[in-house]
Amino acid sequence: MKEKLGNLPDERKLTESRSLEVGNGWQKRYWFIFSGQAFSIIGSALTQFVLMWWIADTTGSVSALAFAGTVALLPQALLSPVGGVFADRYSRRLIMILADLISAVCIAVLMLLFLTDYIELWHIYLIMGIRGAMQAFQSPAVEASTAMLVPESFIQRAAGLNQILMGASLVASAPLGALAVSIMPFGWALSIDLFTALLGIAPLFFFTIPQFRKEINNRHLIKNIISELREGVTMVWKHQGLKRLFILLGGIVLVIMPTFTFVPLLVKEYFKGGIYEVGLMEALAGAGMVAGGVLVTIMAPKRKMIWILAGLGLSCFAISFTALVPANLFWLATFFWMISSIAFIFANAPLTALLQTIIPNQIQGRVLSLLNMIMGLAAPVGLLIANPLGEWIGLRWLFILVGFLGGLVALSGFASRRLKNIEKEGIG
C-alpha cells in the first residue's frame, strides 16, 4: 500500500510535524472555529426544515419531497470526489469560506423570491441543488481540518462534540423554524441563515488551519486532479476492511435515507400533526443526538467497529418502531425516533474518529469525499425506489419495511472478520 502511495510522507514524520502544527494554543483556535461552524450548521438546518415543510405543506406529495431530496443530494454526491481533491490540494480554510458565501447568496435570492411572491417550486429545487454542490467542497474540507486542529488524543472527543453539534442543530433549528414560520413570512424566516453563515465565516478570517499539502502543479490541472483522486480510490480499494465498510454504509443509506426526507408527510398524514409536531419530533431527535454525543465524548469507546455496527442496527430498528405505534400515540413515536438518533450517534461518532485516525491526513479529503459520494449516490437511488413503493404500500409501511431492512444490513457487518478488525490492521 505504501508503494502505491509513494507521494505520501513518512507516517512517523507526519505525526511529529502534526504535533508541532497543532501547538499548545490549539484550544482557542479550535473552539472559535467550532463555535462558528455550529452557528452556520444551525442556520442551514433551520433553512432545510423550513423549505421541506413548505414543500410538504404546499404539495402534500411524496414525489415532490423525494425530488427535493434528490436534487439536494445528487450534486453533492457527484462533485464530492472533486471536492476531496480540492480539500487536499488547496486551502481548506478558503474552501470553507467560499462555500459558505455562495450558499448565503443563494439564500438571499430565495428570500427575495419569497418576499416578492415570485417563488416557484423549481426555484427551491435549484437553490437546494447549488447548496448541495457547495457541501461537496465544504464537507471534506471541514472533516479533514478537524484532525489538524486538535491533538490526536482529542480526536475521539472532537468527533463526539461534532455529533453533539449535529444534535444541537436539530434541537434548535426545528422549533426555531416552526416559530419563525408562524410569526413571520417565509422569506424573513430564511434570513436567520444569512446571519449564522456570517458567524461561521468570521473566525476563518482570524485563524489558520494547519494542512499537509504537496507542491501544486497547475499546468496539467485536470490530469493531476484525476491522478490524485485515483490515490484515494486505490487506498480504499486495496484495503479490504475499508472497502467493506464503505459498501456497508452505502447499503444502509440506500435503504434508510427516504425516512428522513418523508418525516413531515408521515407526521401530517399518519399522525395528523402539523409543523409544531414535526418540529417537536425533529427537536427530540436532536436532543437524542446531543445526549448520544455527550455519552460518546465521555466514554471515548475503544472498540469502535462494535459500536458502529450495533449503533447503526439499533438506529434502523428504532425507525421501524416509530411507525409501528398507533396513530394516537404520537408521543411514543417521538420516543422511538429519539432512540434512533441516540443510537445513530453511538455509531457515527466512533466512525468519524476511526476514519480520522487510520487514514493519513494528507489524503483524508479524497477518501472521505469518496465515502460522501458513495452515500450521496445511494441516497437519491433509495429515494427513487422508495417513491413508488411509498405510494403503493403507504408511508407508514415504508418506514417499517426500510427500518428492519437497514437494521439487518448493519448487523450483517458482524459476519466480516476484515470489517471487525479494521482498527487493528490499520492502513499500512
Side-chain angles (χ1 to χ4, degrees), residues 372-391:
N372 290 339
M373 184 189 73
I374 292 171
M375 295 195 296
L377 289 175
V381 171
L383 284 168
L384 289 174
I385 296 171
N387 182 22
L389 186 60
E391 299 281 5

Side-chain angles (χ1 to χ4, degrees), residues 339-414:
I339 293 297
S340 177
S341 298
I342 295 174
F344 171 76
I345 296 303
F346 281 172
N348 202 44
L351 172 64
T352 302
L354 172 70
L355 295 176
Q356 290 177 338
T357 301
I358 67 175
I359 300 171
N361 187 266
Q362 68 276 11
I363 200 173
Q364 270 188 27
R366 281 162 281 176
V367 175
L368 294 176
S369 68
L370 182 61
L371 176 59
N372 290 339
M373 184 189 73
I374 292 171
M375 295 195 296
L377 289 175
V381 171
L383 284 168
L384 289 174
I385 296 171
N387 182 22
L389 186 60
E391 299 281 5
W392 180 44
I393 65 175
L395 272 181
R396 183 195 183 197
W397 289 105
L398 177 69
F399 272 67
I400 294 169
L401 175 64
V402 301
F404 274 109
L405 284 178
L408 293 176
V409 172
L411 296 183
S412 71
F414 284 107

Side-chain angles (χ1 to χ4, degrees), residues 171-195:
V171 171
S173 64
L176 279 177
L179 177 63
V181 169
S182 66
I183 64 175
M184 65 179 75
F186 267 87
W188 289 117
L190 297 177
S191 66
I192 299 173
D193 195 4
L194 286 180
F195 177 68

Side-chain angles (χ1 to χ4, degrees), residues 51-74:
L51 293 179
M52 294 302 281
W53 172 254
W54 186 88
I55 294 171
D57 190 48
T58 303
T59 68
S61 168
V62 172
S63 299
L65 280 176
F67 190 72
T70 300
V71 297
L73 294 169
L74 196 56

Side-chain angles (χ1 to χ4, degrees), residues 216-268:
I216 297 173
N217 180 6
N218 287 318
R219 292 174 58 188
H220 306 287
L221 181 60
I222 301 300
K223 182 179 178 180
N224 289 334
I225 287 176
I226 294 173
S227 174
E228 292 170 22
L229 176 59
R230 190 181 297 120
E231 288 183 356
V233 174
T234 298
M235 170 174 280
V236 175
W237 185 257
K238 294 292 184 181
H239 192 281
Q240 292 300 315
L242 205 57
K243 179 169 66 175
R244 295 181 189 190
L245 176 61
F246 279 27
I247 293 172
L248 179 81
L249 293 173
I252 293 173
V253 170
L254 187 148
V255 173
I256 212 70
M257 180 60 195
T259 60
F260 302 106
T261 302
F262 296 151
V263 163
L265 274 183
L266 179 73
V267 173
K268 183 179 180 181

Side-chain angles (χ1 to χ4, degrees), residues 279-328:
L280 174 64
M281 197 167 185
E282 297 289 8
L284 289 177
M289 295 172 75
V290 171
V294 170
L295 291 174
V296 171
T297 302
I298 293 172
M299 292 185 290
K302 302 298 181 184
R303 301 181 66 185
K304 296 182 182 66
M305 276 310 305
I306 302 297
W307 282 70
I308 291 168
L309 297 175
L312 289 173
L314 177 58
S315 180
C316 292
F317 288 133
I319 288 174
S320 288
F321 289 122
T322 299
L324 271 171
V325 304
N328 62 337

